[in-house]
């Protein structure tokens, strides 16, 4: 370590950034001497792992506890910045003209590899418009080292039209100052404070009546703090709380509380929620249409009676919910999928990156999900059209008939929509009819399959459409493909290409019959080579 000590003082808990890099942000954890080195050092625990060199212990002496093994370091005070005010950031971002050096860097290379200066068309007009702060409707000030909002009575006259303010990645922590800012900006409706380490003390806040969108991703906020904010945000429509390590929804609001009654979108992605009972605590938000729970730790969905369930069930859970994102959780059972049908208006669902959608982990193909979800219109970001819905349901019924013939009790237990779908699509006696006629008419068991070669070593081969018995095995079908396309020297792999699915589904079980493997009449199979 090197550098001279400074008389400038820093406080424990103060937010700072590296003097030459406002994106390197941290918290002061120690001020004092370091054994073996002269002068005063500032111990900083950086927000990003890897920005430091140790965990607060240096040469065997523990000075403070860092977040990780590589988040802490000791720095001279002159190498740190306490930040700037909001107005300074606005001037820096919108009122500073380009320097000659910056303009010299705006060039393209000619055919002869010479620099040709370029000028932005209308750049002067754009800069002139942006520099008039009183006309700004949105301001983006990410990672500029804003530490003080510098709230004053002049702010309202300087920024009378500001509706959106993005303060991502700055040094803001004081809720009282945030509240004063919102009061001084009457037009402000959207505020982004992501990647600011906000104080755990949510106190001295006024009513934030105009805020409709509040983004608090990666701010260290707990749900207890959210509850303290809740009565102060009567008009809030969107609340984003990604990456805050939230594991429980600790409600302090009474059942007749009118707060969050305007909330339409709640983003809880990338948190630590593992129990569905915690999610149910949000179930009576009357206007909630979008709930984002990607990247949590949920393994099961259940609306069965529990002590944590909302007492008011007359309107059902989540009465307005249309979109539920559950990607990248640990959901593995079909019973959880069936529970999604309890939501009265749910049409947009994400289940990707769960064991239930991973065929290598005993998951199920897309058509099974489409068939079991009553109202689904969008699945994993892909539209479910009427044709796909119908074909998936018919295919699903036939698969269940094939696997559970003459086992009605087991079917009713494991496949709650089976009887409904069988009746809907007129498949009541299909299996019985097929069984009775099979010895007399083998054509009744034939299905039409289109085969397409896609392997890189197969060359260009036209697709073939063949009628084959649904009772043959996948292994037999591979042998037929070898003969039809003259591919005997290759080890083949079959993939089912389904409408609406972004990726084809591998057909790996060679012992399965075509019907059991989900291969249906009119489907398309891709013939690939094993890598």
């Amino acid at each position: 370590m090197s550098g001279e000590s400074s008389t400038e003082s820093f406080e424990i808990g103060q937010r700072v950034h590296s003097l030459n890099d406002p994106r390197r942000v941290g918290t002061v954890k120690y001020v004092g001497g370091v054994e073996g080195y002269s002068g005063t050092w500032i111990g900083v625990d950086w927000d990003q792992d890897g920005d430091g060199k140790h965990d607060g212990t240096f040469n065997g002496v523990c000075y403070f506890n860092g977040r990780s093994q590589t988040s802490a370091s000791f720095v001279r005070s002159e190498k740190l910045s306490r930040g700037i005010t909001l107005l300074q950031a606005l001037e820096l971002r919108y009122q500073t003209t380009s320097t000659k050096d910056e303009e010299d860097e705006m060039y393209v290379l000619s055919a002869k590899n010479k620099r040709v200066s370029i000028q932005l068309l209308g750049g002067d007009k754009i800069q002139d418009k942006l520099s008039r702060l009183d006309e700004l409707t949105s301001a983006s000030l990410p990672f500029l080292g804003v530490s003080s909002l510098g709230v004053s009575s002049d702010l309202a006259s300087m920024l009378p039209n500001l509706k959106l303010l993005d303060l991502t990645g700055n040094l803001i922590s004081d809720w009282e100052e945030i509240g004063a800012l919102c009061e001084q900006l009457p037009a402000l409706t959207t505020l982004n404070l992501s990647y600011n380490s906000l104080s755990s003390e949510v106190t001295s806040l006024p009513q934030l009546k105009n805020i409709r969108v509040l983004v608090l991703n990666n701010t260290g906020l707990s749900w207890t703090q959210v509850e303290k904010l809740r009565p102060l945000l009567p008009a809030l429509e969107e609340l984003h709380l990604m990456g805050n390590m939230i594991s429980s929804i600790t409600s302090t609001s009474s059942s007749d509380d009118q707060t969050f009654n305007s909330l339409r979108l709640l983003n809880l992605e990338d948190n630590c929620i593992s129990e569905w009972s915690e999610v149910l605590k949000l179930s009576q938000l009357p206007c909630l249409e979008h709930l984002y729970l990607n990247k949590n730790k949920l393994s099961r969905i259940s609306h069965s009676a529990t002590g944590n369930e909302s007492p008011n069930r007359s309107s059902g859970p989540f009465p307005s919910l249309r979109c539920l994102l559950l990607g990248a959780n640990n959901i593995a059972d079909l019973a959880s999928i069936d529970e999604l049908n309890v939501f009265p208006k749910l049409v947009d669902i994400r289940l990707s990156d769960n064991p239930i959608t991973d065929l290598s982990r005993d998951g199920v193909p897309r058509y099974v999900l489409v068939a079991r979800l009553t109202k689904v219109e969008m699945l994993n970001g892909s539209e479910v059209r009427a044709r796909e819905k119908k074909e998936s349901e018919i295919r699903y019924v036939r698969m269940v008939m094939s696997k559970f013939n003459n086992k009605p009790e087991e079917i009713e237990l494991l496949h709650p929509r089976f009887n409904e779908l069988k009746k809907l699509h007129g498949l009541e006696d299909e299996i019985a009819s097929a069984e009775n006629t099979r010895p007399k008419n083998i054509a009744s068991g034939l299905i039409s399959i289109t085969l397409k070669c896609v392997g890189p070593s197969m060359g260009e081969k036209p697709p073939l459409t063949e009628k084959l018995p649904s009772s043959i095995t996948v292994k037999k079908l591979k042998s037929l493909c070898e003969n039809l396309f003259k591919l005997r020297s290759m080890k083949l792999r079959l993939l089912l290409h389904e409408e609406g699915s972004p990726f084809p589904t591998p057909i790996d079980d060679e012992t399965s019959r075509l019907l059991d493997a989900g291969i249906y009449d009119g489907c398309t199979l891709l013939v690939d080579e094993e890598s």
Side-chain angles (χ1 to χ4, degrees), residues 2-3 17-20 24 46 75-81:
S2 62
H17 70 75
S18 177
L19 186 64
N20 298 317
R24 191 181 180 213
W46 302 104
V75 189
R76 291 295 193 190
S77 60
E78 61 267 24
K79 299 293 185 181
L80 295 174
S81 171

Side-chain angles (χ1 to χ4, degrees), residues 312-515:
N312 178 14
R313 296 279 290 165
S314 58
S315 59
F318 299 98
S320 302
L321 195 68
R322 295 182 57 82
C323 175
L324 178 61
L325 305 186
L326 292 165
N329 277 277
N330 300 315
I331 299 167
D333 63 308
L334 284 168
S336 291
I337 306 304
D338 298 331
E339 287 287 315
L340 296 175
N341 292 324
V342 174
F343 297 92
K345 295 183 179 180
L346 185 60
V347 294
D348 185 352
I349 303 168
R350 181 173 292 278
L351 293 163
S352 51
D353 298 316
N354 277 280
I356 193 64
T357 61
D358 187 347
L359 296 179
S360 68
R361 292 193 284 172
D362 297 322
V364 297
R366 177 182 169 92
Y367 82 90
V368 172
L369 298 175
V370 171
R372 295 184 81 121
L373 293 167
T374 309
K375 298 174 286 291
V376 67
E377 296 175 5
M378 186 77 69
L379 180 61
N380 296 335
S382 180
E383 183 182 359
V384 178
R385 298 181 180 176
R387 177 180 173 182
E388 184 192 3
K389 182 72 172 167
K390 180 180 178 180
E391 289 180 351
S392 295
E393 290 174 348
I394 292 173
R395 182 178 169 194
Y396 169 72
V397 169
R398 287 173 174 163
M399 181 271 292
V400 175
M401 284 178 167
S402 173
K403 285 189 174 182
F404 297 95
N405 194 24
N406 296 322
K407 297 177 182 177
E409 297 84 3
E410 197 169 348
I411 288 177
E412 189 172 351
L413 179 65
L414 299 176
H415 302 275
R417 291 201 72 205
F418 173 77
N419 289 322
E420 170 199 346
L421 295 177
K422 186 173 70 167
K423 185 175 182 179
L424 175 66
H425 297 293
L427 302 172
E428 292 282 355
D429 302 312
E430 184 173 284
I431 287 292
S433 174
E435 290 292 337
N436 292 335
T437 59
R438 187 173 291 122
K440 301 175 183 178
N441 182 11
I442 194 169
S444 64
L446 296 181
I447 56 175
S448 178
I449 303 172
T450 298
L451 302 166
K452 291 184 177 180
C453 287
V454 296
S457 304
M458 293 178 179
E460 292 188 13
K461 297 181 183 293
L464 297 175
T465 300
E466 299 289 329
K467 286 191 174 182
L468 301 169
S470 60
S471 59
I472 68 170
T473 64
V474 172
K475 185 175 182 179
K476 177 64 175 175
L477 179 56
K478 285 184 178 181
S479 297
L480 288 172
C481 290
E482 290 176 4
N483 292 328
L484 290 168
F485 293 110
K486 298 180 173 55
L487 302 171
R488 293 179 184 176
S489 61
M490 295 183 187
K491 188 175 182 181
L492 302 185
R493 185 183 185 212
L494 301 180
L495 303 101
L496 180 63
H497 177 70
E498 299 180 88
E499 181 182 358
S501 182
F503 302 106
T505 304
I507 308 295
D508 294 326
D509 188 354
E510 291 191 336
T511 62
S512 291
R513 298 185 305 162
L514 300 191
L515 188 64

Side-chain angles (χ1 to χ4, degrees), residues 91-103:
E91 292 170 1
L92 182 66
R93 175 71 174 81
Y94 295 105
Q95 293 187 327
T96 303
T97 56
S98 301
T99 65
K100 187 177 186 306
D101 288 341
E102 289 172 333
E103 290 176 356

